[in-house]
Amino acid sequence: MSNLTLIAILLMLMAVAYQMGLMRSRAVARGSSERMHSRPGYYGWLVALWCGLPALLVFLIWSAVEPSVIRAVVLSELPPEMANLTAQQITVLMRRLNDIASGFGVAGDIAPYEAAAADALSRLRNIGQLAKISVMASLALAGLVVARRRIQAGLRARNHVEKVVSVLLALCSGVAILTTVGIVFSMFGEAMHFFSFVSPIDFFFGTTWNPRFSTTGAGGQGEFGLLPLLWGTLMVSFIALLVAVPIGLMTAIYMAEYAPSWLRSVAKPVIEVLAGIPTIVYGVFALLVIGPFFASVGNMLGIQIRATSALTAGFVMGVMIIPFVSSLSDDIITQVPQSLRDGSLGLGATKSETIRQVVLPAALPGIVGAFLLAASRAIGETMIVVLAAGNSPVLHANPLEAVSTVTVTIVNQLTGDTDFASPQSLVAFALGLTLFVITLGLNVVALYIVRKYREQYD
């Protein structure tokens, strides 16, 4: 029985426990002169939680510990001459034993000790699965019986259920926070390893990007100057904002102030569909349509415009982030109190004057926050610039030429067979950490602006 099937059975058992708790609470309510403390549904949830949570906890702990225990037992039964295997050799051996135990074909002849170890592995897994099912079933049934018997009029079922829910929500928040912290620390550790090869001054202030794929000596490492990549990232993002900010803001103003309700209900979801299109589709669109179009326009005007350039990538990226700007700005504009509009109109201002001189200044902090969030989205974009920017890590100020960005370089450095102990691969973590700091700073500034000035207009 697979773990997924086991979880499905546990959920069905919790559903049965919920119904039993519900019926038990109603029976107690009919036979008692006291008023029930909570609604019947809370008693049902209490029984379901008592039934499911202990069994689920055992399942999680068992699933985490069982592989290590089985691995140790199987390795202890190997011949004495195999006691000095390295960690990598043990990993390869366990993978081979797993294939033998699962019935998959393996290369070469199966040694007698491998067959015996595979049999032991299969036997231990079966025993562990049966034991896990037995323990979980026992705990689930015991929890169901105990919780059902505890149901009485004075039982504060709602308080218990809400406490469990609050703990679960806190655990979910903790998982999200710990995941972010783990990502940051993993990048930080590998970035520090990279800086043991390359000086941070050469990295952050270097103007040449030329990582040569050699790890023999300092001269063979290449040059890892960040400035060309950072400048390309900022150039593409700036072009994207030049496209997205005016169009998105004008769209938001029209949707919030001028559009009839029927048009708003149709047009707003249609615009937001742009945010759901995969970025690889935008990249292919930029490569096959927008890039050649810009190149042909440049030929007509006598200007050399490369099909893959900062202009192409920035324009398509701007189209992609239009929904971010328009949707956030629309929500902020609609939150401006109607009394401000009525006061302006009552003093004789026109609708356009009211929007320009009252509504937009009132919503300006939130709109600026929306712009900064859109900028952080543009800085972190990958697939569009991979296909449309041209991948030329050269420091120049011409948006009609090819550029390279931080995200493109991360993809290039981690593509193919790489040695993760070399600076050519470790630089991806330094680039990722730099990009993380930039986007985090933009998000912090945006949230600070929104929170600081929002209450002035509530």
Side-chain angles (χ1 to χ4, degrees), residues 290-414:
I290 301 299
F293 173 75
F294 283 161
S296 62
V297 171
N299 291 332
M300 293 173 56
L301 300 176
I303 303 173
Q304 183 179 4
I305 302 177
R306 290 192 54 173
T308 54
S309 62
L311 178 63
T312 302
F315 179 84
V316 177
M317 190 186 300
V319 174
M320 182 195 69
I321 64 176
I322 284 175
F324 292 90
V325 177
S326 64
S327 181
L328 291 173
S329 300
D330 175 61
D331 294 338
I332 293 164
I333 291 173
T334 54
Q335 289 177 5
V336 174
Q338 184 63 32
S339 58
L340 295 180
R341 298 180 177 85
D342 295 339
S344 176
L345 295 173
L347 291 174
T350 63
K351 188 175 184 64
S352 60
E353 291 174 339
T354 299
I355 295 171
R356 187 173 64 255
Q357 299 181 9
V358 176
V359 175
L360 288 183
L364 186 60
I367 293 175
V368 172
F371 293 167
L372 293 176
L373 290 175
S376 66
R377 176 68 178 86
I379 289 174
E381 174 53 36
T382 303
M383 291 311 302
I384 293 177
V385 287
V386 165
L387 296 177
N391 190 22
S392 178
V394 179
L395 188 61
H396 62 78
N398 186 2
L400 307 183
E401 294 292 333
V403 297
S404 186
T405 65
V406 174
T407 53
V408 171
T409 307
I410 292 175
V411 172
N412 292 335
Q413 297 303 119
L414 296 182

Side-chain angles (χ1 to χ4, degrees), residues 163-361:
K163 185 178 294 185
V164 171
V165 172
S166 65
V167 171
L168 291 177
L169 293 176
L171 289 176
C172 292
S173 302
V175 169
I177 294 172
L178 291 176
T179 301
T180 304
V181 172
I183 292 173
V184 172
F185 273 100
S186 64
M187 288 195 301
F188 183 80
E190 297 298 336
M192 292 302 102
H193 190 190
F194 166 74
F195 288 131
S196 66
F197 292 96
V198 179
S199 170
I201 296 177
D202 295 337
F203 175 72
F204 288 108
F205 299 101
T207 58
T208 303
W209 179 265
N210 184 25
R212 293 188 291 272
F213 288 91
S214 172
T215 59
T216 58
Q221 293 177 176
E223 298 176 272
F224 298 89
L226 175 65
L227 291 182
L229 310 179
L230 188 60
W231 174 248
T233 301
L234 296 178
M235 183 189 299
V236 172
S237 301
F238 181 72
I239 295 172
L241 291 177
L242 286 180
V243 174
V245 167
I247 297 177
L249 182 57
M250 295 302 107
T251 302
I253 293 173
Y254 176 76
M255 289 295 173
E257 301 293 334
Y258 292 102
S261 57
W262 65 268
L263 179 60
R264 174 184 170 85
S265 62
V266 174
K268 186 174 173 65
V270 171
I271 294 173
E272 291 178 349
V273 166
L274 291 174
I277 298 176
T279 56
I280 184 66
V281 176
Y282 281 109
V284 173
F285 177 70
L287 182 64
L288 299 181
V289 179
I290 301 299
F293 173 75
F294 283 161
S296 62
V297 171
N299 291 332
M300 293 173 56
L301 300 176
I303 303 173
Q304 183 179 4
I305 302 177
R306 290 192 54 173
T308 54
S309 62
L311 178 63
T312 302
F315 179 84
V316 177
M317 190 186 300
V319 174
M320 182 195 69
I321 64 176
I322 284 175
F324 292 90
V325 177
S326 64
S327 181
L328 291 173
S329 300
D330 175 61
D331 294 338
I332 293 164
I333 291 173
T334 54
Q335 289 177 5
V336 174
Q338 184 63 32
S339 58
L340 295 180
R341 298 180 177 85
D342 295 339
S344 176
L345 295 173
L347 291 174
T350 63
K351 188 175 184 64
S352 60
E353 291 174 339
T354 299
I355 295 171
R356 187 173 64 255
Q357 299 181 9
V358 176
V359 175
L360 288 183

Side-chain angles (χ1 to χ4, degrees), residues 78-109:
L78 294 176
E81 59 269 17
M82 304 190 66
N84 296 323
L85 294 177
T86 64
Q88 185 177 2
Q89 291 173 331
I90 292 175
T91 300
V92 173
L93 176 61
M94 291 301 299
R95 189 180 298 118
R96 179 178 174 84
L97 295 179
N98 181 68
D99 292 339
I100 297 173
S102 301
F104 296 135
V106 293
D109 297 332

Side-chain angles (χ1 to χ4, degrees), residues 436-457:
F436 175 82
V437 172
I438 294 174
T439 55
L440 178 63
L442 287 174
N443 290 336
V444 169
V445 171
L447 293 176
Y448 173 78
I449 293 175
V450 172
R451 291 178 180 177
K452 181 174 178 62
Y453 297 102
R454 176 188 298 167
E455 293 183 356
Q456 296 183 8
Y457 312 110

